[in-house]
């Protein structure tokens, strides 16, 4: 079975402060991991995937297989980063399905 | 290029009523999915399809049915709505393949009274 846990429901930070969203997963094989972002009343959009090892909008995420984590980080939060963030995992089961964590709401205060 | 389009955007139903949510994608994707989004629970998979004419159950399929008669469309039906089905429903599609992301629709906000 595959499971994704985002322990923080809400993160509130001031503009310019660092922000880190935690994501832990449970999966016995080699997972594909993603971060999606949902701005207020909008559709989910892909933010990052672990295979790309890229920085998008200043965010980075590193897959740590030893700790089974894929935390999302940004050194200097901006007000436009206020949104809902979801960590998602895809295993090797049929259907190419994504399993999502419960989500973390980020609020960046001015 | 519209991507993934869901209709309707909003709907209010009384308990016991039925309705169908329509999802259409114009990206020629093989895979399509229906998720529901509830506070604190993230997105949970209801049903999915790996190609035209195929459907399969996800994590929370009870009370829902789906059909994929055409590749571009994936319909989600509620035969007898219950208040527990009050949620935001998202459709997604994807091409399949390693590390391919899903593309989401704008969601349908359903309230069952």
């Amino acid at each position: 079975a595959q499971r994704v846990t985002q322990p923080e429901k809400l993160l509130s930070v001031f503009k310019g402060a660092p922000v880190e969203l935690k994501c832990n997963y449970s999966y016995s094989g080699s997972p594909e991991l993603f971060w999606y972002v949902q701005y207020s009343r909008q559709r989910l959009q892909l933010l990052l995937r672990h295979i790309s090892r890229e920085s998008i909008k200043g965010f980075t995420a590193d897959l740590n297989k030893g700790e089974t984590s894929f935390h999302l980080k940004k050194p200097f939060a901006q007000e436009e980063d206020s949104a809902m963030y979801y960590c998602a995992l895809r295993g090797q089961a049929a259907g190419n399905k994504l399993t999502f964590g419960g989500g973390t709401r980020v609020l960046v205060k001015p | 290029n519209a991507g993934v389009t869901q209709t309707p955007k909003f709907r209010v139903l009384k308990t016991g009523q039925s309705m169908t949510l329509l999802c259409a994608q114009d990206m020629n994707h093989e895979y399509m999915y229906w998720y529901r989004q509830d506070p604190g629970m993230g997105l949970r998979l209801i049903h999915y399809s790996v190609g035209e004419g195929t459907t399969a159950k996800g994590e929370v399929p009870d009370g829902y049915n789906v059909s994929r008669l055409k590749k571009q469309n994936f319909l989600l039906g509620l035969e007898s709505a219950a208040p527990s089905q009050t949620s935001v429903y998202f459709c997604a599609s994807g091409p399949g393949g390693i590390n391919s992301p899903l593309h989401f629709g704008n969601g349908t906000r359903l309230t069952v009274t």
Side-chain angles (χ1 to χ4, degrees):
Chain A
Q2 54 199 55
R3 187 179 179 86
V4 178
T5 303
Q6 293 179 248
E8 303 121 340
K9 298 260 187 289
L10 173 66
L11 277 180
S12 182
V13 300
F14 284 102
K15 177 182 172 181
V19 61
E20 180 179 26
L21 289 73
K22 291 186 169 46
C23 172
N24 292 94
Y25 67 88
S26 172
Y27 183 67
S28 56
S30 291
E32 299 169 24
L33 284 152
F34 304 82
W35 275 100
Y36 279 81
V37 60
Q38 184 182 27
Y39 300 103
S40 181
R41 303 250 173 181
Q42 293 185 25
R43 70 182 73 199
L44 276 80
Q45 307 170 33
L46 177 68
L47 182 61
L48 286 177
R49 43 188 153 179
H50 88 270
I51 196 71
S52 303
R53 301 186 66 82
E54 57 200 341
S55 173
I56 303 291
K57 299 184 179 184
F59 285 97
T60 59
D62 289 317
L63 175 59
N64 186 323
K65 291 188 177 179
E67 295 184 358
T68 59
S69 68
F70 188 54
H71 303 329
L72 182 69
K73 301 176 187 178
K74 184 168 182 177
F76 308 103
Q78 303 299 313
E79 290 182 68
E80 56 264 30
D81 296 327
S82 295
M84 194 75 177
Y85 292 80
Y86 291 98
C87 183
L89 175 152
R90 176 184 288 141
Q92 273 111 42
N96 230 40
K97 307 183 291 290
L98 283 183
T99 297
F100 286 84
T104 297
R105 181 168 299 283
V106 171
L107 177 62
V108 181
K109 297 177 285 188
Chain B
N1 187 344
V4 179
T5 303
Q6 291 182 232
T7 53
K9 289 186 170 53
F10 304 94
R11 187 73 186 266
V12 178
L13 288 180
K14 292 188 186 332
T15 297
Q17 288 184 318
S18 63
M19 78 163 294
T20 300
L21 282 68
L22 171 63
C23 177
Q25 53 98 1
D26 60 4
M27 295 171 282
N28 201 35
H29 287 163
E30 289 293 335
Y31 296 81
M32 295 187 76
Y33 309 83
W34 276 107
Y35 286 89
R36 58 177 290 172
Q37 182 187 42
D38 301 291
M41 304 186 78
L43 281 81
R44 293 179 292 167
L45 182 63
I46 305 171
H47 286 280
Y48 65 100
S49 168
V50 301
E52 181 179 312
T54 75
T55 63
K57 293 181 180 179
E59 184 186 350
V60 288
D62 294 342
Y64 305 95
N65 57 74
V66 288
S67 65
R68 183 106 182 263
L69 298 179
K70 293 184 179 181
K71 186 177 184 179
Q72 63 267 34
N73 295 336
F74 194 30
L75 278 64
L76 178 71
L78 287 74
E79 290 187 348
S80 179
S84 61
Q85 294 177 306
T86 293
S87 187
V88 181
Y89 292 85
F90 284 98
C91 176
S93 72
I98 293 174
N99 283 295
S100 60
L102 297 189
H103 300 259
F104 283 83
N106 273 325
T108 295
R109 187 172 294 271
L110 175 66
T111 302
V112 183
T113 61

Coordinates of all heavy atoms in Angstrom, one line a residue, chain B residues 8 17 20 25 29-30 37-38 43 51 57 66-67 71-72 76 83 88 99 112:
Chain B
P8 N -21.0 20.5 -14.4 CA -21.1 22.0 -14.2 C -20.0 22.4 -13.2 O -19.3 21.6 -12.7 CB -22.5 22.1 -13.5 CG -22.6 20.8 -12.7 CD -22.0 19.7 -13.6
Q17 N -31.5 12.6 -5.0 CA -31.4 13.0 -6.4 C -30.2 12.4 -7.1 O -29.2 12.0 -6.4 CB -31.5 14.5 -6.5 CG -32.8 15.2 -6.2 CD -32.8 16.7 -6.4 OE1 -31.9 17.4 -6.1 NE2 -33.9 17.2 -7.0
T20 N -25.1 13.8 -13.1 CA -23.9 13.3 -13.8 C -22.9 14.5 -14.0 O -23.3 15.6 -14.4 CB -24.2 12.7 -15.2 OG1 -25.1 11.6 -15.0 CG2 -22.9 12.3 -15.9
Q25 N -11.5 16.1 -22.0 CA -10.1 16.5 -22.2 C -9.7 16.5 -23.7 O -10.2 15.6 -24.4 CB -9.1 15.7 -21.4 CG -9.2 14.2 -21.6 CD -8.3 13.6 -22.6 OE1 -7.4 14.2 -23.1 NE2 -8.4 12.2 -22.8
H29 N -5.3 12.1 -24.0 CA -4.8 11.3 -22.9 C -5.5 10.0 -22.8 O -6.7 9.9 -22.9 CB -4.8 12.1 -21.6 CG -3.8 13.2 -21.5 ND1 -3.9 14.2 -20.6 CD2 -2.7 13.4 -22.2 CE1 -2.9 15.0 -20.7 NE2 -2.2 14.6 -21.7
E30 N -4.7 8.9 -22.5 CA -5.4 7.6 -22.3 C -6.0 7.5 -20.9 O -7.0 6.9 -20.7 CB -4.3 6.5 -22.4 CG -3.8 6.3 -23.8 CD -4.9 5.7 -24.7 OE1 -5.8 5.1 -24.2 OE2 -4.7 5.9 -25.9
Q37 N -12.2 16.1 -3.2 CA -11.4 16.9 -2.3 C -12.1 17.3 -1.1 O -13.2 18.0 -1.2 CB -10.8 18.1 -3.0 CG -9.9 19.0 -2.2 CD -9.5 20.3 -2.9 OE1 -10.4 20.9 -3.5 NE2 -8.2 20.6 -2.9
D38 N -11.7 16.9 0.1 CA -12.4 17.2 1.3 C -11.3 17.8 2.3 O -10.2 17.4 2.3 CB -13.0 16.0 1.9 CG -14.1 15.4 1.0 OD1 -15.1 16.0 0.8 OD2 -13.8 14.3 0.5
L43 N -6.9 14.8 -1.6 CA -7.7 14.3 -2.8 C -7.7 12.7 -2.7 O -6.7 12.1 -2.5 CB -7.1 14.7 -4.1 CG -7.4 16.1 -4.5 CD1 -6.4 17.1 -3.9 CD2 -7.2 16.2 -6.1
G51 N -8.3 3.8 -20.4 CA -8.5 3.9 -21.8 C -10.0 3.8 -22.1 O -10.8 3.5 -21.3
K57 N -12.1 0.8 -10.0 CA -12.4 1.5 -8.7 C -11.2 2.1 -8.1 O -10.1 1.5 -8.2 CB -13.1 0.5 -7.8 CG -14.4 0.0 -8.2 CD -15.0 -1.0 -7.2 CE -16.4 -1.4 -7.6 NZ -17.0 -2.4 -6.6
V66 N -19.2 5.4 -13.1 CA -18.4 6.1 -14.1 C -18.6 5.4 -15.5 O -18.9 4.2 -15.5 CB -16.9 6.3 -13.8 CG1 -16.7 7.2 -12.7 CG2 -16.3 4.9 -13.5
S67 N -18.4 6.2 -16.5 CA -18.4 5.6 -17.9 C -17.4 6.4 -18.7 O -17.2 7.6 -18.6 CB -19.8 5.6 -18.5 OG -20.2 6.9 -18.7
K71 N -12.9 8.4 -25.7 CA -11.6 8.6 -25.1 C -11.6 10.0 -24.4 O -10.9 10.1 -23.3 CB -10.6 8.5 -26.2 CG -9.1 8.6 -25.6 CD -8.2 8.4 -26.8 CE -6.7 8.4 -26.3 NZ -5.8 8.2 -27.3
Q72 N -12.2 11.0 -25.0 CA -12.0 12.3 -24.4 C -13.0 12.6 -23.3 O -12.8 13.7 -22.6 CB -12.2 13.4 -25.6 CG -13.6 13.4 -26.2 CD -13.7 12.5 -27.4 OE1 -13.1 11.5 -27.5 NE2 -14.5 13.0 -28.4
L76 N -18.9 11.0 -14.4 CA -19.1 10.5 -13.0 C -20.6 10.7 -12.6 O -21.1 11.8 -12.7 CB -18.3 11.3 -12.0 CG -18.4 11.0 -10.5 CD1 -17.7 9.6 -10.3 CD2 -17.7 12.1 -9.7
P83 N -25.7 13.4 1.7 CA -25.0 14.5 2.3 C -23.5 14.3 2.4 O -22.7 15.2 2.2 CB -25.6 14.7 3.7 CG -27.0 14.3 3.5 CD -26.9 13.1 2.6
V88 N -15.8 18.8 -3.3 CA -15.4 19.3 -4.5 C -14.8 18.2 -5.3 O -13.9 17.5 -4.9 CB -14.3 20.5 -4.3 CG1 -13.9 21.0 -5.7 CG2 -14.9 21.6 -3.5
N99 N 6.8 9.4 -14.6 CA 6.9 10.8 -14.2 C 6.1 11.8 -15.0 O 6.3 13.0 -15.0 CB 8.4 11.2 -14.2 CG 9.1 10.7 -13.0 OD1 8.8 11.1 -11.8 ND2 10.0 9.8 -13.2
V112 N -25.0 18.6 -1.2 CA -26.1 17.7 -1.1 C -26.8 18.0 0.3 O -26.2 17.9 1.3 CB -25.8 16.2 -1.1 CG1 -27.0 15.4 -1.1 CG2 -25.0 15.9 -2.4

